[in-house]
Structures are given as C-alpha cells and as structure tokens.
Amino acid sequence: MSSPRPGGRPGDEQAPGPLWSEPGTLLQHVAVAVLGIDEEGRICYWGPGAKRLFGYEAADVLARPAAVLFPAAPLDGAGAAERLAERGRALGYWRARVPTLHRDGRVFDCGFRVFPVTGTEGHSVILGLASESAGLDRVKTNLAFLDALFETCPIGLVMLDEKLRYVHLNQALADMDGTPIEDHIGRSMEEFMITSDGGEYQRMLRAVADEGRTVVSTLVVLRTPGRPDRDQVRSVSFFPLSQAVGTRPGVGGLLVDVTDREQALVEAAAGRQRLALLDRAAARIGTTLDVDVTARELVEAAVPEFCDGSVVEVVEWKDEREIFDPESVLLTRRIAAGTSLPPPAPELVGGLESVTYPPGSSIHEALITGRPVCVPVNADFMTRTVVHQARAQLLIDSGLKSLLIAPLIARGTVQGITMFGRAGGRPDFTEQDLSLAGELASRAALCLDNARLYSRVQDIALTLQRALLPTALASSPSVQVAHRYLPGSHATEVGGDWYDVIELPDGRVALVVGDVVGHGVPAAAAMGRLRITAKALARQNLEPDSLLEELDVCAQDAGIAYATCLYIRYDPTTGLARIANAGHLPPLRRRADGTVESIDEVLGVPLGVGGVPFRTTEIELHDGDTLALYTDGLVEARGLDIGVGMAALRSQLEGSTGTLEEAADGILARLLPGAPTDDAVIVLARIRRQGPDRRPGGRD
C-alpha cells in the first residue's frame, strides 16, 4: 500500500498507494478523500484529497488511530472509526453519514463509503472514500436539476464538441429538427441546420468554439433534413464550454423555435429564396440557342430546389401556322426531364418521348388560360389527363402528390408546357410558387422561341448555301477532284464558304475557292452571288487577275465588305497554272514524290476593299502533282495559332498514299475530329498532263 501513484508529476501530493484521480470540475467543488485503516484501527493510507478534506498532512496522521478524525465517542458506545471498520468488514461495503472532526476543530458532516481490501502482506485494510456531505448534496442537486432540465425543458439544449459535432441534446431540439436524438450524435450541426445565409451561421458557431465569444438571442432562419418543407426561425444562444482539466472543449447552446412569432422573417426568407432561384435561373437558362439544351437548363434550375421532378415538352404542330384548339388532342414531345426521387420516378419522367393529352385535360386548362395551374395527383387528374393506365400507375408509385403545370408561350405562340411535381414530404404549391413557376416558364418560353427561330434561320441559310454550292463538280480527264464541305456546328451560324471547278475552252480547267466574311442568310446569299459571277467571268477567258478585279467590282456593288477568293486556271497541254489570290489562304502543292510546298507568291487584298490591283503568277505543274485548296475553317481553331493547323494539313498531305477521296476523308478526320466551329472546305485536285510534253513529276 506504500507504492507511489503512477505517472506522478513534480509538485503533486505524494501520498503512498496506487490510487490516483486527476482533479476535474467535480473534484474542484467536492473534496473526495481516500484513506485506509488497518486491523488495529490505525491510519495506514492517506490518499488524494484527504488533506483538503481533513486538514492533515500525511505525516501527521499515518500510523495514528483513525479516531483522530472524529469527535470523541460517547462513553457508552464505540467510536465512529471503530464502527466504520467493523461494518465494512462485516458487510463488505457500507456507507454512512458521520460527523467528522477537521484539524482546526470544526465538526462537519461527511459521507463515507467503506469496504475491505487485502494489504501487501495479506492483512485486511478498510479502504474509505469520504466527501463533505454539503458539497456532495449540492452537486447531486445540480446534477438532478440538469437531468430534469434536459429531460423536460421545452427549449432546445445542445452540447457540441470542438468540431461542432453533437455530443448531447434534449428531446425538444430533436423534435425541432424532426430527427431522433441518437441520429444526431457524432454528426455536425451543419448537417441539421440548413441556412441560406452564405455560411454566416457556421462562422458564428466557429467563433464561439475558437475565440470564446458568446452569442445571445440571435435569430436564424433555417430548414432541417427532418422537416425539409418547413422554414423555421430560431432564437439561438451559444457559449463556450468550460475547459477545466478532465472536461472536453466545445460549445453549449439554447435554441428556441420562434417561427410563429417571426413569421415575417420566414416569409422574407422564402421571398429571398424565390428571388435567388430566379436569379440563378436567369443565369442558367438560355445560354445557347439550342432547344434541347435550353429545356435541360430549365429542369436543372428547378430540381431539387423548387420541386422533386420536372419535365419540359414542346407541342408537335402539324403546321407552323396551326393554332391551339382546346377541343383537339394535343401531341407533345418530351425534350427534358429530371427528378431527385428514387425509382420509379426516373422512369415516369424520362421513359416517354411522345405524349398524348385528350381534350379537357389539365394541360388544355393551362394552355387555355395561359397561366400556371396547380393540380393534385388524384383520380380526377388521372381520368382527365393520363391516357395510359401503365403511366398512371407509375405516377401513383412515384410519390408525387401535386403538379404545377405552366404553359410555355412566347410572342403569342404556344411552344409547349413545363411541369413541376412535389412529393408528399413537401408542402403543396402556393400562390407564390405559381408566380415563380410563371416567371421561370416565361423566360424559358422566350429562350425556346429564340432557339426555334434561330434554328429556322439556320435551316434556311444552310438550305440556301447548299442550293448555291455545286452538287457535282465539272469532270476533266486532266484534273481529278475530291471535295468536302462541312457547315459549322449548330452553335454557330452557316458561313459563306464556297468552291467550284469550271470547265473552260481548249480543255483548260479553273479551280476556285472563296469565303465571304459573316454568317447566316446574308453570307450565303453573298456567297452565291460571287460564285455565279466568278463562273460567268471564267468562261469569258479572262486572266486570273482581271477576273478578280471584275469580281471585286461586283462585291462592292453588292455591298460585300470583305470576301476572299483564290482562282487557278490550269492548261493540261502546257502544264502551266496561272494563279491570282484575293486575300485567301495560299494553296498547297503536293508533288508526286510526297513533298509539300505553299504557293504564296500572289497574296492580294480581299474582295470588296477596292483600289488595289491584283496580279497573276504562273507555275508549271507535273503529272501526279496534287493541289489543295481550302478555307480557314479547316485549319483555324479557337485558341490555336493558324500555323498549327497549316502544319497539320501539310503533314496529312505528305503522308497521303491512297485515293483522293481517302485523302480528303483523312484530312477532315485529323483536322476536324469534332463538330467544326466554322464552315470548312477542302478541294484536292490531282494533275494529269496531256500531249507530247507529258513527263514525270519533278522540280521546276
């Protein structure tokens, strides 16, 4: 019983024995002494806390009779020390409240718990735990009060650790959150108190935990996962927990639900959420002039913040001039869908492309009024609106309980409908929700109409351009030609790229490629005008520079401000090619031995500029040479230098070993692996010499 306590530190009370307890908050308020009484009734162990409780140093009491700790025994009875030892040995454990004598002569009530232990030499020792009754009673009362407070208090009480995770909370707070107490423990408060304040609430809690600040009666608007359909206003107070030895740091809090009292704050928060949703939707919807993308953006803006599921459908009109007839069946095509609900909801919203609505349906009702309508998912809705029984069963099984149907109408034209659905865990749609849905639908309808009109203009321009481009190029025994034309992707308008192969008198052949700056119908129309004019001028047997001068005058007369053109006239009898260039990319020449060179001696100003003469250069072509004429859409990509594209084109030409058709396909696959951002043209012309001067290819 005399060994020192383990882990002792300098300055600690060095009482003999193995028992040791680090003081904490409880022991700071209640002195707890540990002492031992041997078989002769003497004190043989003086443990932690004994000096504080009785006032004696260990050296003053060890080996002395234990009776020194108690008032004098009555003449006709045993002393308190003797009785404690006797009862402990007889019963194995005994507790009692006994008057005790302090060293300074003061008598106080002390609670004892005694029990026998075996000493180091086999002797029996009574070990006693003692504490002052008044302090112990006070602590027991406080603990009972705290237990009752956590058990019955109608105010939410919480204890968080230093990482703001739940350590303890009462039932009142669990009821506010709509989640059992046990599901809180160990999880962060951020998971249960969802705010739209940009993180201000979490920063406030962090300041309490890290800086020791105190928060009193601060109002917070929030939702919880257990009650996602209910905005709450809570008055919260937080304070740092004591960090005495043996206790864990953290935050304590009191939370009161004052939603009814602060309804105006709830409504303001809901209004801010609606405005925030509209603001995000305005930024997300209509980022492209693509109908399908616009519809998906509307669904993504609404799910899951506004609803649990949404679809967008466009009306399938038989004729663009057709108007909505309330007495007719309505056919729609579903172009976007999304849901946050589990199966079978995804099958419900995404498993159908064409939808039929009978006259008198809720869809007809919304289109007749031109305003959003809210309908419950019930037998009446199923009968009026859902044609197929299987789809009706899916709707029932999906969990959706109410639908908000908003018409998509823009510029007096019915584009389609959008539907928003909520499951039973959310409240029904309100008048404010109807207004919000109307705003979303109005913006989406305008964007869809813009996309529809843009698609129509694109189709017109592409149709016009294809009509003006040659369907089949002129054939000649002296020039074998392969050509490809790719219009720009749907994200860009059709450009003004054009090309032609023209048969001339005496077996000569003209190769032409050009590009009108601009997009859409104007560029296509200007391109057609220049192509037809160039073809007519070529047949007048004009020199290439003279032809470009006439074409320049035509461009100025037509108001074409900027266009390029490359004109090559080849004579197979002599093998000579005469070339003039109006600001176009230079042609490439691939010799029969595979070497590739650029013909850039005659770069002139673009058409439409005027006032600058053009000139003609002449080169000799050999049998097997290949000329490559192209537009900038083939070699120029956004963010890349045009030299990179030119190098790639040269590399493809150098490595070309198959037919011209295969070479053209290979060039497009290598240089334009995805959808082109601009129109692209490639014309490959392989030379065949005629007459007595024909000879194998070589250097000039």
Side-chain angles (χ1 to χ4, degrees):
M1 297 289 293
S2 59
S3 61
R5 71 185 180 191
R9 292 169 295 195
D12 288 345
E13 184 181 351
Q14 296 294 330
L19 300 178
W20 173 70
S21 175
E22 183 178 14
T25 302
L26 180 62
L27 297 184
Q28 288 174 351
H29 294 281
V30 180
V32 178
V34 182
L35 67 154
I37 303 173
D38 63 16
E39 294 174 339
E40 297 179 357
R42 297 179 181 278
I43 298 173
C44 62
Y45 178 76
W46 195 249
K51 176 186 176 182
R52 179 182 173 192
L53 183 61
F54 299 108
Y56 292 98
E57 296 286 351
D60 297 333
V61 294
L62 286 175
R64 293 181 63 185
V68 71
L69 303 177
F70 304 96
L75 296 176
D76 58 349
E82 183 181 351
R83 184 167 175 77
L84 285 172
E86 185 271 330
R87 300 304 293 172
R89 287 191 177 92
L91 300 177
Y93 175 80
W94 191 59
R95 64 179 182 176
R97 183 171 294 191
V98 181
T100 306
L101 180 64
H102 194 272
R103 182 176 184 179
D104 61 10
R106 173 171 54 87
V107 177
F108 60 96
D109 277 348
C110 191
F112 280 87
R113 287 168 172 76
V114 294
F115 48 90
V117 297
T118 301
T120 56
E121 299 178 359
H123 300 296
S124 175
V125 174
I126 293 297
L127 194 66
L129 305 178
S131 59
E132 187 177 4
S133 297
L136 187 60
D137 289 344
R138 184 173 64 255
V139 170
K140 292 165 82 175
T141 300
N142 289 343
L143 291 175
F145 170 76
L146 289 175
D147 286 342
L149 184 66
F150 264 81
E151 185 70 26
T152 63
C153 181
I155 295 174
L157 303 174
V158 66
M159 175 181 174
L160 308 172
D161 65 14
E162 66 273 16
K163 294 184 178 180
L164 304 180
R165 296 174 301 199
Y166 288 92
V167 176
H168 193 25
L169 71 154
N170 65 347
Q171 188 61 46
L173 180 56
D175 291 341
M176 287 186 209
D177 290 346
T179 305
I181 291 176
E182 57 270 19
D183 290 347
H184 286 74
I185 305 304
R187 297 169 65 182
S188 68
M189 196 173 215
E190 187 176 10
E191 296 181 55
F192 291 90
M193 299 184 69
I194 304 169
T195 63
S196 56
D197 59 1
E200 182 60 31
Y201 179 71
Q202 289 301 314
R203 288 191 290 271
M204 177 183 71
L205 280 177
R206 192 76 265 164
V208 177
D210 295 344
E211 304 171 20
R213 297 183 184 179
T214 299
V215 175
V216 179
S217 300
T218 297
L219 295 179
V220 179
V221 181
L222 56 92
R223 287 190 178 188
T224 66
R227 301 189 184 279
D229 58 330
R230 181 173 180 257
D231 285 309
Q232 298 183 38
V233 180
R234 295 184 186 177
S235 175
V236 301
S237 299
F238 291 103
F239 49 89
L241 294 176
S242 168
Q243 297 189 24
V245 176
T247 64
R248 59 196 303 179
V251 174
L254 297 87
L255 302 92
V256 184
D257 188 342
V258 293
T259 305
D260 294 339
R261 189 189 77 192
E262 304 291 344
Q263 188 60 34
L265 275 178
V266 174
E267 294 175 357
R272 285 196 299 271
Q273 290 174 351
R274 285 192 292 269
L275 287 175
L277 176 58
L278 276 176
D279 184 60
R280 288 191 294 274
R284 295 176 64 177
I285 299 174
T287 58
T288 69
L289 289 171
D290 186 292
V291 173
D292 293 340
V293 172
T294 300
R296 286 197 300 271
E297 290 169 342
L298 173 58
V299 170
E300 290 168 358
V303 180
E305 187 169 353
F306 180 65
C307 61
D308 298 310
S310 178
V311 298
V312 177
E313 299 172 6
V314 293
V315 177
E316 294 279 72
W317 299 117
K318 297 178 182 177
D319 188 293
E320 284 196 1
R321 295 168 293 180
E322 185 179 357
I323 61 175
F324 171 65
D325 181 5
E327 303 300 323
S328 298
V329 170
L330 186 68
L331 301 177
T332 66
R333 179 168 53 89
R334 188 166 294 178
I335 59 175
T339 181
S340 58
L341 297 175
E347 168 65 16
L348 172 70
V349 301
L352 198 64
E353 183 175 346
S354 297
V355 189
T356 301
Y357 296 106
S361 72
S362 300
I363 309 302
H364 284 71
E365 179 185 346
L367 293 177
I368 290 171
T369 62
R371 293 189 297 271
V373 297
C374 184
V375 294
V377 178
N378 55 23
D380 179 64
F381 173 78
M382 301 292 186
T383 303
R384 294 173 53 200
T385 307
V386 183
V387 175
H388 302 290
Q389 185 62 36
R391 304 299 299 177
Q393 189 59 48
L394 272 178
L395 180 55
I396 293 172
D397 296 341
S398 70
L400 294 174
K401 299 301 181 185
S402 61
L403 298 176
L404 195 161
I405 304 166
L408 299 172
I409 301 175
R411 302 181 180 99
T413 302
V414 175
Q415 307 291 325
I417 59 165
T418 180
M419 285 189 277
F420 309 100
R422 285 183 178 175
R426 285 195 177 194
D428 290 338
F429 292 103
T430 64
E431 287 296 326
Q432 291 77 15
D433 292 330
L434 286 171
S435 176
L436 174 60
E439 291 285 344
L440 289 173
S442 176
R443 175 172 181 80
L446 188 60
C447 293
L448 287 171
D449 197 47
N450 288 341
R452 180 182 63 84
L453 294 175
Y454 174 77
S455 296
R456 181 192 298 174
V457 172
Q458 278 282 80
D459 291 342
I460 292 172
L462 186 57
T463 301
L464 175 61
Q465 186 182 46
R466 285 175 173 168
L468 294 174
L469 286 174
T471 55
L473 297 181
S475 60
S476 169
S478 57
V479 178
Q480 180 188 359
V481 176
H483 59 96
R484 298 289 186 272
Y485 165 73
L486 286 181
S489 69
H490 196 75
T492 59
E493 292 187 273
V494 173
D497 291 13
W498 57 283
Y499 60 96
D500 210 344
V501 177
I502 308 167
E503 284 189 277
L504 301 177
D506 302 326
R508 292 174 297 175
V509 178
L511 305 173
V512 192
V513 66
D515 186 3
V516 176
V517 174
H519 293 89
V521 173
M527 174 274 293
R529 186 165 187 169
L530 289 179
R531 175 178 170 268
I532 293 171
T533 303
K535 193 166 189 175
L537 292 172
R539 287 172 174 163
Q540 298 300 316
N541 202 28
L542 295 176
E543 282 295 313
D545 55 344
S546 300
L547 183 144
L548 291 184
E549 289 173 2
E550 292 296 330
L551 208 55
D552 183 47
V553 172
C554 173
Q556 295 179 59
D557 291 343
I560 300 172
Y562 192 98
T564 66
C565 181
L566 171 66
Y567 182 79
I568 301 175
R569 189 181 69 187
Y570 169 63
D571 187 340
T573 303
T574 63
L576 298 178
R578 296 181 63 76
I579 305 171
N581 192 339
H584 200 81
L585 293 171
L588 298 179
R589 174 190 188 182
R590 182 188 186 277
R591 295 180 182 270
D593 61 4
T595 58
V596 177
E597 59 190 25
S598 175
I599 305 171
D600 53 7
E601 294 89 350
V602 288
L603 294 179
V605 299
L607 302 176
V609 174
V612 180
F614 300 96
R615 64 189 184 88
T616 298
T617 190
E618 185 176 82
I619 65 170
E620 183 178 0
L621 299 177
H622 302 292
D623 194 60
D625 285 357
T626 300
L627 294 176
L629 290 70
Y630 52 96
T631 58
D632 57 359
L634 183 70
V635 296
E636 191 172 29
R638 187 174 300 170
L640 292 178
D641 186 83
I642 193 172
V644 176
M646 292 288 293
L649 177 57
R650 293 173 68 102
S651 176
Q652 282 296 116
L653 287 172
E654 288 172 352
S656 175
T657 58
T659 66
L660 283 186
E661 297 294 334
E662 292 172 343
D665 289 336
I667 288 171
L668 290 184
R670 169 66 176 85
L671 273 64
L672 299 174
T677 57
D678 194 6
D679 289 14
V681 166
I682 177 69
V683 177
L684 299 178
R686 183 164 293 164
I687 302 303
R688 290 288 179 263
R689 293 285 294 269
Q690 295 180 359
D693 295 330
R694 175 176 175 174
R695 65 180 186 272
R699 296 288 180 182
D700 287 339

